[in-house]
Amino acid sequence: MKLKVAALLLGATLGLAGCMPRDGEIVIKFSHVVAPDTPKGKAADYFKRLAEQRTNGRVKVQVYPNSQLYKDKEELEALQLGAVQMLAPSLAKFGPLGVREFEAFDLPYLFDNYQDLHKVTEGPVGEKLLAKLESKGIKGLAFWDNGFKDFSANRPLRTPADFRGLKMRIQNSKVLEEQMRALGALPQVMAFSEVYQALETGVVDGTENPPSNLYTQNMHSVQRHLTLSQHGYLGYAVIVNTTFWDGLPGDVRATLEGAMRDATRYANQIAKTENDVDLAKIRDSGKTQIYTPTPVERAALKKAMMPVHAKMADRIGRDVIQTIYKETAFNPNH
């Protein structure tokens, strides 16, 4: 642990030195854990292009995909220390940081579609959630979609009973732990960069991902079955180190805010399309059997997982959950 902290502190020193204006240039290190050809990877590269063009090269954005700099558990600490300036972590990462309200996004079957989701992420609820990060030295800039998650494993997953005893990889989220337990599965917290090998070697039996993550990490090649459960949402919050952001010249900060708005629009436009394309690639590979649950099967999966909402309400905040229910007209009893 001491070596890890020392490494992060050294990285922070070098990072802050690297992002200080030099000959008018400001460097932003943007780290993420997924592949460049995912929705998040493409959006990060798009933001880089916009930021550099609109500041006439005064800002240089260095994008580091695929956990090149930091894994899941390390990246938030690295941002707080200043070793990197910008991240787009999945929303599940903020619960362990102490901002448990974000864990609402992990609740199963909370959003039926992107329209309902965007009522939250693009409305006052989303603004209030991002504001809660400020006490952690983090400035929230935007929400980026990835997509809706599907279950995969090496055996068919059609009913809740099919999950019993399976070791299922999840992000570090108490809500996702309860979700898997509600299905009778054994939740296994694991860094995203380690999942393929764990699936290949049988350390875990299955996982949950949007198709883009499954395909771009080649997980489909070691998962014989994919159920289009669409049971949960995977999204990201684009965040920056507050000290760095507040220290930028006002005109630069305003330009970057505009670039982020346009990058967010782009990210959320391509999310569904990219997942549809990658799902087709998974189907064409012939390595994974894809199954669409019947309405009855979907209702059974939902019924099995809905108790997670009530069980996690005190942890997340009943007021937060009820506000989201109201925004989306969600009925937990149907």
Side-chain angles (χ1 to χ4, degrees):
M1 180 60 71
K2 289 180 179 179
L3 287 173
K4 175 186 170 186
V5 172
L8 284 170
L9 286 170
L10 176 61
T13 302
L14 295 174
L16 287 172
C19 68
M20 293 295 181
R22 183 182 59 196
D23 297 329
E25 185 180 86
I26 299 168
V27 175
I28 298 176
K29 292 183 178 179
F30 190 163
S31 173
H32 64 80
V33 302
V34 298
D37 51 348
T38 57
K40 177 164 67 173
K42 290 185 176 182
D45 289 339
Y46 188 68
F47 171 74
K48 168 186 169 68
R49 291 197 299 273
L50 293 182
E52 293 178 351
Q53 288 171 2
R54 294 181 183 180
T55 61
N56 296 314
R58 189 175 176 189
V59 171
K60 182 175 178 60
V61 180
Q62 299 173 349
V63 179
Y64 297 91
N66 272 329
S67 305
Q68 288 177 3
L69 290 184
Y70 300 102
K71 294 182 180 180
D72 289 305
K73 294 181 180 179
E74 304 164 348
E75 61 177 10
L76 279 171
E77 188 175 0
L79 182 87
Q80 289 174 304
L81 289 170
V84 293
Q85 290 72 50
M86 184 173 288
L87 303 172
S90 63
L91 301 173
K93 304 284 176 52
F94 298 114
L97 189 67
V99 191
R100 294 178 177 177
E101 293 89 343
F102 278 86
E103 292 183 343
F105 290 102
D106 290 337
L107 291 170
Y109 291 106
L110 182 59
F111 303 107
D112 287 331
N113 50 55
Y114 285 102
Q115 183 179 0
D116 285 346
L117 166 70
H118 292 157
K119 290 176 183 176
V120 175
T121 57
E122 296 177 3
V125 177
E127 288 183 12
K128 289 178 182 178
L129 288 173
L130 291 178
K132 290 182 179 293
L133 297 173
E134 293 177 6
S135 64
K136 306 296 181 181
I138 295 170
K139 171 74 174 176
L141 299 180
F143 289 95
W144 284 1
D145 293 340
N146 183 329
F148 290 94
K149 297 181 291 186
D150 300 316
F151 287 121
S152 67
N154 283 324
R155 73 186 190 203
L157 301 173
R158 300 186 179 183
T159 71
D162 295 331
F163 290 81
R164 195 166 298 136
L166 287 181
K167 294 174 290 185
M168 298 291 286
R169 181 267 170 175
I170 59 167
Q171 298 185 76
N172 187 6
S173 163
K174 296 298 183 184
V175 176
L176 296 180
E177 286 183 26
E178 289 300 327
Q179 170 193 282
M180 292 303 185
R181 290 194 181 103
L183 293 167
L186 305 173
Q188 308 289 311
V189 175
M190 183 176 294
F192 185 70
S193 59
E194 300 169 4
V195 179
Y196 171 82
Q197 185 175 10
L199 291 169
E200 184 183 37
T201 58
V203 172
V204 295
D205 300 308
T207 186
E208 56 168 15
N209 272 299
S212 66
N213 280 3
L214 198 75
Y215 180 76
T216 57
Q217 295 293 323
N218 201 33
M219 294 180 199
H220 70 290
S221 68
V222 288
Q223 295 278 266
R224 293 195 297 272
H225 295 274
L226 175 65
T227 295
L228 302 183
S229 50
Q230 300 281 281
H231 62 276
Y233 169 70
L234 180 63
Y236 312 107
V238 186
I239 57 177
V240 289
N241 176 288
T242 300
T243 301
F244 166 77
W245 191 251
D246 290 346
L248 290 173
D251 60 327
V252 171
R253 188 165 56 248
T255 300
L256 293 178
E257 287 171 346
M260 182 56 63
R261 282 193 296 272
D262 290 342
T264 298
R265 191 176 300 111
Y266 169 78
N268 295 345
Q269 285 174 346
I270 68 169
K272 185 180 186 306
T273 302
E274 291 291 316
N275 276 293
D276 289 345
V277 168
D278 285 339
L279 179 61
K281 291 177 180 177
I282 293 171
R283 183 177 281 111
D284 292 344
S285 75
K287 297 177 180 179
T288 307
Q289 292 186 14
I290 299 173
Y291 182 72
T292 301
T294 67
V296 172
E297 289 169 336
R298 179 179 169 85
L301 288 171
K302 184 175 181 179
K303 183 179 179 181
M305 288 187 273
M306 279 309 300
V308 176
H309 286 232
K311 193 165 186 178
M312 292 286 101
D314 287 336
R315 175 183 175 86
I316 296 169
R318 292 181 183 274
D319 56 335
V320 174
I321 295 175
Q322 289 299 323
T323 300
I324 293 175
Y325 285 177
K326 185 177 180 181
E327 286 285 336
T328 61
F330 180 86
N331 186 340
N333 299 315
H334 291 89

